[in-house]
Amino acid sequence: EAIHYETLEETYQVQRCFTGKDRVCDTTYKIDTTTKDDYQCCNVETPNCYMEEQVINDVTCTNTVEFNCQREKSTKNDGYGQKEVVCTRTPKQDCYNIPRKIQVEVCKTDVHRYCEKFSNIFPFPVEEQNCHFEPKKICELQQKTRPKKAKKYSYTKDCKEQPREICDQCEKKSIQPVCDMQERLQCSYVPKESCKDEAKQYCHKVEKVVVKEVCDMKFDTKYL
């Protein structure tokens, strides 16, 4: 509202004012929804299991004893006499691998891209006019016989935009993977040690001195 003064010559005017109503409209927004086709994708993980042939080694070990036999002088009779055979024992282990083929289940995770088209709800703003009446002062001038300064009211439209965030709730569909847990048997090969003792006899030759009487008939004399 702005006030201006004007000078009226010839006759004066009497200002007569009264209150009226002016229609004022505000622009508001609300949320509305519409149904459109939606296309969504998601990654789905699935296990991929198969049997694979592998080679394991069965280890077989043999523990033996090596004998080393030698003649040594006897400590009896001041070192004189027949030499004795003395054997020393040396442990020995021989191992070798026996390859064996087995079937082992191997599982890997495969990732697949799954997409689906369906109807979904999409929100959008809708503009509305909210109108109401505001009181307005209206003045009129009545002419009189003498000049007088009078107030004259003039109105200008003044609008300001006020940013405002509008929010609402709506239900939307989305694609998500649904997983079920399944129990699977998992086998593993654990080495098991199995031992057995076998009795074996070690033999060696020992020289043995035997006294034997030998007779020679050439040196035999006979008296007649």
Side-chain angles (χ1 to χ4, degrees), residues 34-162:
T34 183
T35 302
K36 296 181 182 179
D37 290 337
D38 195 3
Y39 188 78
Q40 294 186 13
C41 298
C42 67
N43 293 331
V44 179
E45 296 182 355
T46 56
N48 180 17
C49 298
Y50 56 92
M51 299 303 293
E52 185 178 73
E53 188 177 81
Q54 294 183 0
V55 177
I56 62 174
N57 291 321
D58 293 333
V59 182
T60 301
C61 295
T62 304
N63 295 321
T64 58
V65 177
E66 289 186 350
F67 290 87
N68 185 16
C69 299
Q70 294 180 354
R71 286 183 176 276
E72 295 182 358
K73 291 183 179 181
S74 175
T75 57
K76 298 179 181 179
N77 300 325
D78 296 332
Y80 294 98
Q82 188 177 358
K83 293 183 178 180
E84 295 182 353
V85 178
V86 179
C87 296
T88 57
R89 298 162 57 97
T90 304
K92 181 182 179 183
Q93 185 183 56
D94 295 325
C95 296
Y96 56 92
N97 295 331
I98 302 176
R100 179 162 58 95
K101 294 182 178 180
I102 59 173
Q103 295 291 329
V104 179
E105 185 181 33
V106 179
C107 292
K108 297 180 180 179
T109 301
D110 293 339
V111 179
H112 301 280
R113 188 73 172 170
Y114 175 77
C115 299
E116 184 178 348
K117 182 180 179 181
F118 54 89
S119 298
N120 211 344
I121 297 175
F122 291 89
F124 64 95
V126 177
E127 182 178 319
E128 285 186 344
Q129 294 293 327
N130 184 15
C131 298
H132 60 280
F133 290 95
E134 289 285 345
K136 179 180 179 181
K137 186 177 182 181
I138 302 174
C139 295
E140 296 179 350
L141 295 176
Q142 294 180 352
Q143 292 184 358
K144 297 293 183 179
T145 57
R146 60 190 180 114
K148 182 181 180 181
K149 288 184 178 181
K151 293 180 180 180
K152 182 178 181 181
Y153 292 90
S154 61
Y155 296 91
T156 57
K157 186 177 181 180
D158 186 13
C159 297
K160 295 181 180 179
E161 291 186 358
Q162 295 292 333

